[in-house]
Amino acid sequence: MGTCLIAGCGYTGTRLARRLLGQRPVLALVRSAASLAVLAREGISAVPADLDGGSAFPVPPDLAAVIYLAPPAGPDGEDRRFARFLAALGEARPQVLVYVSTTGVYGDTGGVAVDEAAPTAPAEERARQRLHAEDQARRWCEARGARCVILRVAAIYGPHRLPLDRLRRGEPVLRAEDSGPGNRIHVDDLVAACLAALARPGAGVVNVADGCPESMAAFTARVAALAGLPAPRKITWAEAQDTLSPGLLAFLRESRRVLNPRLVRELGLTPRGPEAGIRDSLREMGLPVAGG
């Protein structure tokens, strides 16, 4: 089995590389020496790559699969970083490219449900960059006869990605009546989706969300209850303007219910719900879980 190149081997990519070890050759692209050292300790082959500086990286001669997890970068809603990455692949012809995008490309639907056939209307800059990269991925794959899978991913949570510090600091959350449903996926279910996208013959867009949309207030309260911490104080939208960070406010402005029919039907996955995902995360962190 040919080499799988993982571009952007951070939180999700490292967990993915661990799963692939022993199954096929893996090469990870990382930005920092610290990341190189972490991966080396785990026996994961990695090389430094500055996709913004245009530096070259070695392309495995037996390259069979590419999974792109790096965040976008570029002006005017364009992802120039991804364009440089594709150019650096040269004449390589992998069998499959998996591009990890975002459900943010659907924009704000006011809580209306979206599946993979829904129109895209990204409002945030990063979502516009992701949509631009999706188009690049399709065109690059069409020119090479490669299979293109675009995973539109909801907010990722998991071990060390829970709002525990915010709860311990007593930070408030936007009350449920002022916020629409949010969508999430446990990191290991995202990893499973990446593996299924490599192994199964399908192509096109797949929404990667747990199918259990709930407000940030509800999710944070669930984390607090399971972690044995005090429930967060709830604030109005007007109060939130002076209290919450700009990034969090931007996230809360958009509301949609992400459906995942292709994830279940074509990739064969049934992601865990938030209760199970939070419990699994706390246990992996070695923290007690209320109720066992």
Side-chain angles (χ1 to χ4, degrees):
M1 191 176 292
T3 296
C4 178
L5 179 66
I6 302 175
C9 203
Y11 180 63
T12 301
T14 299
R15 297 174 82 91
L16 173 61
R18 289 176 189 147
R19 290 283 302 274
L20 286 169
L21 276 181
Q23 299 181 26
R24 66 189 304 166
V26 176
L27 179 64
L29 302 184
V30 297
R31 295 193 66 177
S32 70
S35 296
L36 278 175
V38 169
L39 294 174
R41 287 196 294 270
E42 301 207 28
I44 299 169
S45 297
V47 294
D50 180 6
L51 299 179
D52 297 327
S55 62
F57 55 84
V59 178
D62 65 338
L63 181 65
V66 176
I67 301 181
Y68 190 88
L69 290 151
D76 304 320
E78 296 184 2
D79 188 357
R80 301 281 179 83
R81 177 180 290 162
F82 185 52
R84 284 187 288 268
F85 169 77
L86 293 177
L89 291 178
E91 298 303 313
R93 290 179 175 267
Q95 297 163 10
V96 57
L97 166 64
V98 179
Y99 177 76
V100 178
S101 184
T102 173
T103 56
V105 299
Y106 296 114
D108 180 17
T109 70
V112 172
V114 294
D115 63 9
E116 290 89 352
T120 55
E124 297 297 322
E125 175 72 4
R126 179 156 290 198
R128 291 195 296 271
Q129 292 169 325
R130 291 289 195 190
L131 191 61
H132 176 256
E134 287 185 13
D135 184 59
Q136 291 184 74
R138 290 189 193 93
R139 289 187 281 107
W140 190 87
C141 287
E142 287 172 2
R144 288 158 179 77
R147 187 164 56 88
C148 182
V149 183
I150 294 169
L151 302 181
R152 289 179 177 164
V153 180
I156 303 167
Y157 74 98
H160 308 287
R161 291 295 189 277
L162 295 174
L164 297 174
D165 288 341
R166 296 204 304 270
L167 285 165
R168 292 177 182 128
R169 291 193 297 265
E171 294 183 11
V173 295
L174 183 65
R175 64 182 186 177
E177 52 266 47
D178 282 345
S179 63
N183 304 273
R184 297 165 188 85
I185 191 71
H186 188 279
V187 62
D188 287 336
D189 290 322
L190 172 54
V191 167
C194 291
L195 294 172
L198 293 179
R200 296 197 172 213
V205 173
V206 179
N207 288 342
V208 183
D210 62 16
C212 304
E214 62 181 12
S215 69
M216 180 173 287
F219 182 80
T220 306
R222 190 189 296 274
V223 172
L226 290 172
L229 295 170
R233 179 172 60 90
K234 298 178 178 62
I235 59 175
T236 66
W237 181 254
E239 292 171 317
Q241 307 307 302
D242 299 321
T243 307
L244 303 182
S245 69
L248 187 53
L249 286 171
F251 175 79
L252 291 168
R253 284 191 189 97
E254 294 192 353
S255 169
R256 55 190 166 267
R257 296 178 183 272
V258 178
L259 306 180
N260 59 5
R262 294 197 69 200
L263 181 72
V264 176
R265 184 178 64 246
E266 298 180 33
L267 294 190
L269 300 178
T270 302
R272 71 203 79 188
E275 184 90 5
I278 295 166
R279 287 181 179 275
D280 290 345
S281 301
L282 292 171
R283 290 191 184 105
E284 183 173 324
M285 294 170 69
L287 298 175
V289 182

